[in-house]
Amino acid sequence: MENRLQAAELSTEESTVVPEEELKKIRSERLFFKRKYKNFPKAIGSKIVLYQNLLAMQKHTATQLGLCINKVEPVVVLRKAIQSLRTNHLQQCQGNVSIADGGE
């Protein structure tokens, strides 16, 4: 049930929060197994998974309480945190490529 709830709640997120390939992993995730995003270092991937799971639970709770999801502070903060992890990782990767290429 929890996996279906996560998939349902996260399926409405922008691709900067939950890209389609990650949504597929969420939908196929087995009970008591934690999905892994191999395109990120382990620590960053684990944080993204944790934040996505928390986001799904916050959205579900907000919906049950009849709140506007986009105005619930934990939802907004978690979305920004996920986007920030992705952006920072991408910038680091691009920086490493530039350094490897001689700074060009």
Side-chain angles (χ1 to χ4, degrees):
M1 163 114 169
E2 183 176 315
N3 293 8
R4 283 184 280 160
L5 182 122
Q6 288 175 344
E9 293 294 348
L10 296 175
S11 68
T12 60
E13 289 297 318
E14 293 181 14
S15 63
T16 57
V17 178
V18 184
E20 187 60 36
E21 64 271 8
E22 290 177 13
L23 191 56
K24 287 178 186 175
K25 283 189 174 194
I26 293 166
R27 288 182 174 134
S28 64
E29 188 175 34
R30 298 182 315 188
L31 192 60
F32 304 118
F33 284 81
K34 184 178 171 187
R35 65 191 176 278
K36 294 178 181 161
Y37 300 146
K38 297 185 181 200
N39 52 330
F40 293 100
K42 187 176 181 178
I44 294 172
S46 293
K47 275 189 180 180
I48 291 173
V49 169
L50 174 64
Y51 292 171
Q52 286 174 340
N53 292 347
L54 290 170
L55 176 60
M57 296 301 115
Q58 289 292 327
K59 286 179 67 177
H60 180 70
T61 301
T63 301
Q64 286 183 320
L65 296 173
L67 302 174
C68 176
I69 292 171
N70 293 327
K71 294 184 179 181
V72 175
E73 186 177 0
V75 170
V76 174
V77 170
L78 286 164
R79 284 176 176 156
K80 286 180 182 177
I82 293 167
Q83 291 167 333
S84 177
L85 284 168
R86 289 183 193 289
T87 302
N88 290 342
H89 175 69
L90 183 61
Q91 288 173 346
Q92 287 177 350
C93 288
Q94 289 172 344
N96 290 339
V97 170
S98 294
I99 292 169
D101 291 340
E104 297 178 14

